[in-house]
Amino acid sequence: MPFTTLRDGAQLYYKDWNPQGSTHTAVFSHGWPLSADAWDKQMFFLASRGVRVVAHDRRGHGRSEQTWERNDVDNWADDLAELIDKLDLKNIVLVGHSTGGGEVARYTKRHGQSRVSKIVFISSVVPKTVKSETSPDGVPVEVFDSFRAAMLHDRAQFFTEVPAGPFFGFNRPAVKDKVSKGLIDSWFTVGMQASLKAVYETTYSWEVDYSEDLKALDIPALFIQGDDDQIVPVQAGAYAAIKLLKHGTLKIYPGGAHGIIDTEPDSINQDLLGFIKG
């Protein structure tokens, strides 16, 4: 399996599909508490259509090393930069889902946009998910405190309830006939493989303000979100973010849940392909 050694000696796992002869390259950053595998539907689709696709397991997640320190968005951005530099990727499209949206935004702030041509945010935590004076539609910090307490008390139970409920919107009566036990079990399994400390500390990245990161973007940006996202309120996410982007495009999925890359993959895949090759 391909790994790269980071500046602190940690091993970062990554996938690199269809690297030969591709004219476009997309680099994916996954959401909490998952791994690069969360992007398999998109990566298979795009690689089958001539796009080089790269995705990594964030440190502490999946197959990457479970480091005790550096489980924060600045270090995730630096890890991503090391991977991009190692593979000498250029003219790339960055794609971030949920927490991964914060990671790709912070990458452009800390490492510039010289290697990036476009950026995509899907159900992202930017510009600011936690409720505050500048983000009145955000999530009260007490909710995040309850997440942290639940993980420390009984992570397995909590990681059963999240995918069975709000993450994929399976708690909505309208989708009761579309509930996927396999998808729930997969989310649980991958999440439980991650470091408890990493998934615990990741929740603090949802309290970061990424407004300045977005304002600094000088490249085309696509923001995709479902209007029934129960994890990141759409008013605090997509609708707030689009106001900060110089070259932004907004795509709202009516009734879409937070995990739309799995619940509506066909539409997401087509939107990504059109944006990448457009």
Side-chain angles (χ1 to χ4, degrees):
M1 293 192 295
F3 288 87
T4 188
T5 302
L6 300 173
R7 59 204 172 282
D8 60 349
Q11 297 294 298
L12 191 80
Y13 171 83
Y14 68 94
K15 306 179 183 188
D16 184 2
W17 294 356
N18 194 29
Q20 304 301 324
S22 301
T23 56
H24 299 83
T25 300
V27 179
F28 295 84
S29 291
H30 64 80
W32 169 94
L34 303 172
S35 73
D37 294 350
W39 290 111
D40 276 358
K41 294 183 181 72
Q42 287 70 46
M43 293 177 68
F44 182 86
F45 176 85
L46 293 171
S48 299
R49 288 157 178 79
V51 180
R52 181 181 182 179
V53 290
V54 176
H56 66 289
D57 293 354
R58 188 172 296 120
R59 66 166 63 224
H61 296 68
R63 290 140 292 200
S64 290
E65 188 167 340
Q66 295 192 2
T67 58
W68 184 252
E69 302 292 348
R70 298 185 174 179
N71 298 303
D72 61 84
V73 68
D74 286 348
N75 276 290
W76 302 336
D78 294 348
D79 293 347
L80 179 59
E82 289 193 45
L83 177 61
I84 289 171
D85 290 348
K86 170 190 169 64
L87 298 177
D88 194 25
L89 302 177
K90 300 174 183 176
N91 197 34
I92 62 178
V93 178
L94 287 177
V95 186
H97 174 251
S98 193
T99 301
E103 180 179 307
V104 298
R106 187 53 49 91
Y107 166 86
T108 60
K109 182 178 182 180
R110 289 175 68 84
H111 299 278
Q113 302 166 49
S114 63
R115 291 181 178 266
V116 185
S117 61
K118 301 176 182 179
I119 191 167
V120 182
F121 300 96
I122 303 177
S123 309
S124 179
V125 297
V126 301
K128 190 176 183 181
T129 303
V130 70
K131 187 174 184 177
S132 67
E133 290 185 3
T134 59
S135 183
D137 298 308
V139 179
V141 70
E142 291 79 11
V143 174
F144 297 151
D145 289 340
S146 71
F147 281 14
R148 291 185 275 264
M151 280 188 282
L152 293 181
H153 176 69
D154 189 346
R155 175 166 57 145
Q157 180 60 34
F158 184 60
F159 277 16
T160 298
E161 295 170 355
V162 173
F167 194 91
F168 297 114
F170 291 155
N171 55 340
R172 297 306 199 203
V175 300
K176 64 180 180 179
D177 296 329
K178 299 179 181 179
V179 173
S180 168
K181 185 177 184 301
L183 197 53
I184 294 168
D185 291 346
S186 175
W187 196 100
F188 169 85
T189 300
V190 176
M192 290 300 293
Q193 290 174 343
S195 155
L196 174 58
K197 188 168 190 285
V199 296
Y200 180 91
E201 293 184 341
T202 292
T203 62
Y204 289 101
S205 71
W206 307 339
E207 300 178 29
V208 173
D209 189 339
Y210 299 96
S211 297
E212 296 304 316
D213 305 50
L214 297 185
K215 291 177 184 177
L217 286 175
D218 199 26
I219 53 177
L222 173 63
F223 211 106
I224 298 174
Q225 190 168 7
D227 64 7
D228 193 30
D229 190 328
Q230 299 174 64
I231 304 297
V232 177
V234 67
Q235 293 293 342
Y239 286 126
I242 198 67
K243 298 175 183 178
L244 304 176
L245 298 173
K246 297 175 184 175
H247 311 288
T249 300
L250 179 64
K251 177 68 179 287
I252 298 296
Y253 278 48
H258 186 69
I260 52 176
I261 61 174
D262 279 304
T263 58
E264 303 189 49
D266 294 342
S267 297
I268 292 291
N269 291 348
Q270 290 295 340
D271 284 341
L272 286 175
L273 182 64
F275 188 68
I276 290 168
K277 290 194 171 185

